Amino acid sequence: MDLIEKYRGSLLGLAVGDALGAPLESKPPHSFEPINDMVEPGEWTDDTSQALCLAESLIMRKRFDPTDQLERYLKWFKTGYLSSRNQSFNIGPTTTKSLQEFEISLEPIRERNENSVTNGSLMRIAPVPLAFADKPETAIDWSGESSKTTHNSTIAVDACRYMGALIVGAVNNFPKEDLLSNLFTPIRGYWDKKPLCDPIKEIAKESFKNKEPPEIKSELYTPKTLEAALWAFYKSSSFKEGCLKAVNLGDDADTVGAVYGQIAGAYYGKKDIPASWLDKLVQKELIESYADKLMHIDC
């Protein structure tokens, strides 16, 4: 598979999962008829908007610049820049507080706060490992750093590091069984040198393989989001099958869909995302153009 297919798949997959899950957000499991297609226009939410802001920062700055990232998030928050509706919506309380405080302090890295364990940084992470995929250790390190602008807890940072490792592995053609193996890393010994915290380590040690709903839950809590997305990836053999599994968990369906879409899109490539879903996706061409640019920048 051409590398560009994987880049496009990851960023488009994020947006598709976000858009597919958006109508089911906040609906408890079993309170709705499971969907089997994208039945509404593909309007994505804050997950994709922040991912595009992050991608644009990397593309324009050609380096990892947390101040610039936050300035773009703030522009989105205040004006609807890079939103599917020309206004920001669905923004979580942790991100809201972080952006409001950044506007005053101009400090790009949040103070360590072990209570900031929601999934607002995990949902947008794909542009970082895509930009640095040819430098795996840098990609994993910066994936964690990207969380610190809004969610600076050990859990949130380590979830982003692990997700970064998975996306790097997927675009570098590691087989699915390797990606989902015990403590996967594209760099031998990385987790020995820079260990994961216990809640994320448990997932990396394949917890998602031994659970089913209701143990698998679509929640704001980052480990639950990550576990649910990987469960859907493990239990399926195509982008469509896994994405429907992810979003039909309900609750925080758009974010679990977005997290699933990042890794599954990187693995399966754009061609495996249903064309009918892509046709409905708002600003598909813009998202795809950012994926192309991420592949060709020299960070």
Side-chain angles (χ1 to χ4, degrees):
M1 185 188 305
D2 290 342
L3 189 59
I4 193 62
E5 277 290 307
K6 290 176 169 286
Y7 275 69
R8 292 173 178 173
S10 186
L11 213 55
L12 288 168
L14 187 162
V16 164
D18 181 8
L20 192 71
L24 303 180
E25 187 182 14
S26 301
K27 293 184 178 181
H30 311 300
S31 70
F32 58 91
E33 188 70 27
I35 63 171
N36 58 20
D37 202 354
M38 187 179 284
V39 294
E40 297 184 14
E43 186 179 78
W44 28 267
T45 74
D46 60 325
D47 308 47
T48 304
S49 290
Q50 289 183 57
L52 292 177
C53 287
L54 179 54
E56 188 177 78
S57 176
L58 292 163
I59 292 162
M60 299 301 292
R61 300 292 291 165
K62 294 183 171 57
R63 61 186 176 89
F64 187 90
D65 184 340
T67 298
D68 186 74
Q69 292 164 27
L70 278 161
E71 288 171 348
R72 295 176 195 275
Y73 297 150
L74 189 61
K75 184 177 179 181
W76 158 73
F77 178 53
K78 295 178 76 71
T79 72
Y81 182 66
L82 292 176
S83 174
S84 61
R85 290 187 189 172
N86 295 319
Q87 63 182 36
S88 61
F89 63 100
N90 253 37
I91 187 167
T94 302
T95 300
T96 298
K97 183 179 179 183
S98 298
L99 296 181
Q100 289 171 337
E101 292 183 358
F102 169 73
E103 189 174 18
I104 296 168
S105 71
L106 301 181
E107 292 293 333
I109 301 300
R110 300 281 294 156
E111 289 186 7
R112 178 70 68 168
N113 178 5
E114 298 298 352
N115 293 318
S116 61
V117 294
T118 51
N119 53 25
S121 57
L122 183 65
M123 69 191 190
R124 67 183 185 229
I125 191 65
V128 178
L130 293 178
F132 296 97
D134 61 342
K135 304 168 186 171
E137 184 163 1
T138 300
I140 299 170
D141 289 345
W142 285 129
S143 292
E145 290 298 308
S146 75
S147 181
K148 294 180 181 180
T149 56
T150 56
H151 295 68
N152 192 4
S153 68
T154 303
I155 285 175
V157 169
D158 280 7
C160 288
R161 289 200 298 137
Y162 180 54
M163 189 67 176
L166 291 173
I167 293 172
V168 167
V171 298
N172 283 300
N173 294 313
F174 279 80
K176 189 174 183 180
E177 56 268 29
D178 287 359
L179 296 174
L180 297 178
S181 64
N182 183 46
L183 289 169
F184 170 78
T185 171
I187 309 166
R188 187 183 299 273
Y190 181 87
W191 302 129
D192 294 327
K193 183 171 59 173
K194 301 177 182 180
L196 292 167
C197 65
D198 287 345
I200 305 304
K201 185 177 181 179
E202 180 183 352
I203 296 166
K205 294 182 77 170
E206 309 173 68
S207 67
F208 53 88
K209 292 183 178 180
N210 303 311
K211 296 180 182 179
E212 294 289 341
E215 273 193 288
I216 295 292
K217 297 179 180 180
S218 173
E219 294 183 353
L220 288 170
Y221 182 52
T222 295
K224 287 296 184 184
T225 299
L226 179 61
E227 188 176 55
L230 293 179
W231 168 83
F233 186 45
Y234 174 65
K235 290 286 185 176
S236 58
S237 57
S238 69
F239 183 93
K240 179 178 180 178
E241 181 188 5
C243 202
L244 290 171
K245 282 183 177 293
V247 302
N248 279 318
L249 292 169
D251 287 329
D252 201 20
D254 59 329
T255 296
V256 172
V259 175
Y260 165 84
Q262 295 175 66
I263 179 61
Y267 177 75
Y268 292 116
K270 176 191 171 184
K271 290 180 181 177
D272 201 53
I273 302 174
S276 61
W277 292 3
L278 291 174
D279 288 344
K280 293 177 181 176
L281 192 66
V282 173
Q283 298 184 51
K284 176 188 72 174
E285 292 78 12
L286 175 67
I287 297 167
E288 191 166 295
S289 74
Y290 277 26
D292 293 359
K293 291 172 183 174
L294 284 169
M295 180 177 165
H296 292 109
I297 60 174
D298 183 20
C299 286

